[in-house]
Amino acid sequence: EVQLVESGGGLVQRGGSLRLSCAASGFAFSGYAMNWVRQAPGKGLEWVSYISSSSSTILYADSVKGRFTISRDNAKYSMYLEMNYLSDEDTAVYYCAREPNGLDYWGQGTLVTVSS
Amino acid sequence: QSVLTQPPSLSGAPGQRVTISCTGSSSNIGAGYDVHWYQQLPGTAPKLLIYDNTKRPSGVPDRFSGSKFGTSASLAITGLQAGDEAHYYCQSYDSSLSGSLVFGGGTKLTVL
């Protein structure tokens, strides 16, 4: 069974940093591109970042470029999102999602709350 | 504002057919990128409903169907049920954003 489990969310001060993790199981992780998608409270889905299966292609939304860093460790079946200089606008549930054609599997999400 | 435009809300009675539109431009849907649709029930993660414009993942009822024409796409739901009440999002890619993934703003479907 395909599973994606996010962790690392929590309460962080404005300007602070946080590292999210996404643990994958039940499929050949190294064969799939992965994404981070976030959803602010009461808002729609916002794509955050993409990483190809071999990490050769990495993309970021303009809203996080220069502040967030995506990475993956295929040997550990894990993906990460390093988030720096966090602002109120980064408060959201962060989902990791697998991408073959569309985002076919999603984790349950981890909540990041940025507070002053 | 979202790159892909969806109506914010829609409603229908049980048994009815509803259609949710997703309007893009020549740099995303019109450029030939595939459109995918997601259903998000309250308090849960999104679920892939339609991929590659018209295909249904295993387990998705054939009451759900997708189409794409020009710079737009649509999700149709027939035989509306109470359990279909959810937010629906379209998703594609945009060449002006280096092929990055883009979402529609979402449509809240209410079953009357």
Side-chain angles (χ1 to χ4, degrees), chain B residues 3-22:
Chain B
V3 172
L4 305 178
T5 301
Q6 298 179 236
S9 63
L10 212 55
S11 63
Q16 277 191 334
R17 179 183 190 272
V18 296
T19 302
I20 300 173
S21 61
C22 176

Side-chain angles (χ1 to χ4, degrees), chain B residues 28-93:
Chain B
N28 41 68
I29 298 175
Y33 288 109
D34 288 325
V35 177
H36 315 295
W37 290 90
Y38 304 88
Q39 177 193 58
Q40 187 175 32
L41 298 170
T44 69
K47 167 192 168 185
L48 182 64
L49 203 59
I50 297 288
Y51 69 98
D52 292 355
N53 308 309
T54 61
K55 301 173 183 174
R56 281 187 308 276
S58 173
V60 174
D62 59 6
R63 299 187 299 106
F64 296 90
S65 63
S67 63
K68 174 188 164 185
F69 184 78
T71 58
S72 296
S74 292
L75 172 70
I77 309 173
T78 59
L80 206 57
Q81 300 177 0
D84 298 332
E85 186 160 296
H87 282 89
Y88 293 84
Y89 296 90
C90 61
Q91 177 252 303
S92 188
Y93 306 86

Side-chain angles (χ1 to χ4, degrees), chain A residues 35 37 39 43-47 59 62 95 99 101-104 106-107, chain B residues 36 38 40 44-46 48 51-52 89 91 93 98-101 103 105:
Chain A
N35 289 267
V37 176
Q39 187 169 35
K43 302 297 184 182
L45 302 174
E46 179 188 14
W47 171 77
L59 299 170
D62 287 345
Y95 297 101
E99 183 177 6
N101 300 299
L103 305 178
D104 66 343
W106 298 61
Chain B
H36 315 295
Y38 304 88
Q40 187 175 32
T44 69
L48 182 64
Y51 69 98
D52 292 355
Y89 296 90
Q91 177 252 303
Y93 306 86
S98 303
S100 296
L101 191 153
F103 283 104

Side-chain angles (χ1 to χ4, degrees), chain A residues 27-63:
Chain A
F27 67 100
F29 182 70
S30 63
Y32 290 85
M34 298 291 295
N35 289 267
W36 287 99
V37 176
R38 69 184 180 183
Q39 187 169 35
K43 302 297 184 182
L45 302 174
E46 179 188 14
W47 171 77
V48 173
S49 185
Y50 162 94
I51 186 166
S52 62
S53 58
S54 64
S55 304
S56 58
T57 300
I58 286 176
L59 299 170
Y60 297 100
D62 287 345
S63 58

